[in-house]
Amino acid sequence: VYKRQTPTTLPTFLLIGPSGAGKTTLLTLTERNTVAQTHTSTAPLTIQALLPEGFIPSSSHYRSPGDPAYERSRRFLLHDTPGHGKLRHFAASQLMKPTNVRGIIFVVDASSVAEEAGLNEAAEYLHDVLLALQKRYTGAKTSRGPKEIPVLIAANKLALFTALPPHLVKIALEKAISEVRKSKAKGLKDSGVGMRGDDDGLEEEREWLGEGGEGSFEFGQMEEVGTSVTVKGGNVLGGDGSDVKSWWEWVAEQL
Ligand code: GTP
Ligand code: MG
């Protein structure tokens, strides 16, 4: 089902998100079709994967299974990054220079975001990921803008009784990102960055995620900078086995 070789031409999906969210477990499931014990990642890892049977790549809707072009379109790379706060430069460097990145799968633990500490950590990280995508878009030299990179927020561990359902994960993250945005702007002001004169106001604005103003942040605001954000729930591990169907559906739409 997979090969270890990593040709650079295949579409790539990045696994990003806080430590313990389930990124490497998802990668292992994809690679071996079974889950295995994982340890906190200290290095990135890329595998070549095949979209599972039953999911049709959007580029192949008019082809039939068995057609070589159909089979080719099912192939992609899955690139896992460490979520530990001190190891996020691996993900950051992927975001600075995304090559063939077709989408970002931001994995969160849906039970951890039910609590303030977990929610804030996820929101801060997601804020920075979205801001990187926004900067890439607004800083693009070409008039057509760079190819868009959609984001899937994979709300994992839904089977835990403490987990928030996906629609509440979305609302909680939007609210928490609004707070992150506010406190970052305040931090900039307090430190004097962007306050040297009127011209620097532009610089400051560029650091602001989504729409300006005092309103709250919503994922829909990312559409303007070429990023659609979708929240879908699942379980990499679960009492009744894995359920990552809605995530593969999303991946299929991007292929
Ligand atoms: P870092 O490598 O530190 O960034 O974390 P990670 O996102 O790679 O997390 P990892 O895949 O190592 O999973 C962390 C823990 O969560 C492991 O003990 C997994 O077994 C567990 N886990 C992963 N998915 C699920 C799930 O769907 N449900 C439950 N209950 N536990 C899960
Ligand atoms: Mg890991």
Side-chain angles (χ1 to χ4, degrees):
V1 188
Y2 69 95
K3 295 199 182 78
R4 272 282 175 181
Q5 80 207 35
T6 52
T8 51
T9 48
L10 286 179
T12 300
F13 292 86
L14 301 178
L15 287 171
I16 300 183
S19 183
K23 300 179 294 299
T24 308
T25 313
L26 175 59
L27 177 118
T28 309
L29 174 70
T30 309
E31 188 179 42
R32 305 183 203 164
N33 216 4
T34 174
V35 287
Q37 185 61 48
T38 57
H39 299 281
T40 284
S41 305
T42 53
L45 176 65
T46 304
I47 60 155
Q48 187 175 322
L50 201 60
L51 187 67
E53 300 278 344
F55 300 92
I56 305 171
S58 71
S59 61
S60 280
H61 267 295
Y62 300 103
R63 298 192 179 112
S64 32
D67 176 338
Y70 181 99
E71 296 308 324
R72 256 197 314 276
S73 68
R74 293 173 60 204
R75 293 164 59 188
F76 62 93
L77 300 180
L78 198 56
H79 181 89
D80 182 27
T81 61
H84 189 281
K86 290 191 172 153
L87 299 171
R88 293 195 182 153
H89 56 276
F90 291 114
S93 67
Q94 289 291 323
L95 289 171
M96 303 266 273
K97 233 173 99 272
T99 34
N100 293 318
V101 173
R102 192 63 64 82
I104 291 171
I105 303 175
F106 190 91
V107 185
V108 296
D109 176 336
S111 75
S112 143
V113 296
E115 286 170 15
E116 200 174 318
L119 176 62
N120 288 341
E121 192 199 355
E124 273 170 31
Y125 196 4
L126 184 54
H127 170 276
D128 291 354
V129 168
L130 295 178
L131 189 60
L133 293 177
Q134 174 175 309
K135 281 182 176 171
R136 168 181 172 271
Y137 190 89
T138 54
K141 301 280 182 292
T142 64
S143 55
R144 284 179 61 227
K147 219 173 155 12
E148 34 189 77
I149 299 184
V151 175
L152 170 69
I153 298 174
N156 189 29
K157 311 195 188 184
L158 271 198
L160 294 178
F161 82 99
T162 44
L164 284 186
H167 71 281
L168 293 184
V169 169
K170 175 175 184 275
I171 292 170
L173 282 172
E174 285 178 332
K175 256 183 97 180
I177 288 176
S178 302
E179 291 307 313
V180 172
R181 200 167 68 154
K182 242 191 255 164
S183 66
K184 293 224 174 188
K186 188 174 178 304
L188 281 179
K189 245 181 219 160
D190 291 351
S191 71
V193 175
M195 295 293 284
R196 274 158 281 151
D198 282 346
D199 309 1
D200 287 341
L202 238 177
E203 266 314 304
E204 198 180 4
E205 204 175 319
R206 222 174 273 150
E207 289 290 326
W208 180 262
L209 180 69
E211 278 168 15
E214 291 297 296
S216 43
F217 173 78
E218 286 167 22
F219 290 128
Q221 295 170 13
M222 295 303 296
E223 298 279 352
E224 273 189 40
V225 291
T227 294
S228 73
V229 182
T230 312
V231 185
K232 287 187 186 296
N235 290 287
V236 185
L237 301 173
D240 308 323
S242 309
D243 177 11
V244 294
K245 196 167 159 281
S246 69
W247 304 343
W248 289 139
E249 274 165 7
W250 182 87
V251 168
E253 279 169 30
Q254 319 307 325
L255 282 175

